[in-house]
Amino acid sequence: MSLRDVRIVVNDRELRVEPGITIAAALLNAGVQDFRTSVTGAPRAALCGMGVCFECRVTVDDVAQQRACLIAVRDGMRVRTGGEHA
Ligand code: FES
């Protein structure tokens, strides 16, 4: 497998990303800044990068509240960001 051989779909947009990176890394590399929305409406994104802060929660393959910094990308994975209170 070579660089950018993994295809994921983020909010209906296909991205080709490097194998083995986390969803958080893939999103940040693609310029995504709003992983979720806080209760006050503020955009939130990865902060600690190690599974502690829960700021990076996204929906992965229809499963909500997944920490993007802890999950490696898989070919065909579908990611939703910007979820309210996600
Ligand atoms: S960035 Fe802190 S839990 Fe994912």
Side-chain angles (χ1 to χ4, degrees), residues 3 7 10-11 14-16 22 33 41 45 52 62 79:
L3 288 179
R7 294 178 188 205
V10 178
N11 303 332
E14 184 177 283
L15 296 178
R16 296 183 69 151
T22 64
Q33 300 284 322
V52 176
D62 297 321
V79 178

Side-chain angles (χ1 to χ4, degrees), residues 12-55:
D12 301 320
R13 171 182 162 208
E14 184 177 283
L15 296 178
R16 296 183 69 151
V17 302
E18 296 85 0
I21 66 173
T22 64
I23 296 170
L27 294 177
L28 292 170
N29 286 345
V32 176
Q33 300 284 322
D34 55 337
F35 286 35
R36 67 183 188 91
T37 303
S38 75
V39 292
T40 62
R44 308 299 292 183
L47 180 63
C48 72
M50 58 184 185
V52 176
C53 72
F54 286 70
E55 294 288 5

Side-chain angles (χ1 to χ4, degrees), residues 57-67 80 84-86:
R57 286 170 286 162
V58 295
T59 299
V60 180
D61 293 332
D62 297 321
V63 180
Q65 310 284 350
Q66 302 299 298
R67 283 173 285 175
R80 284 246 163 238
E84 191 171 315
H85 317 305

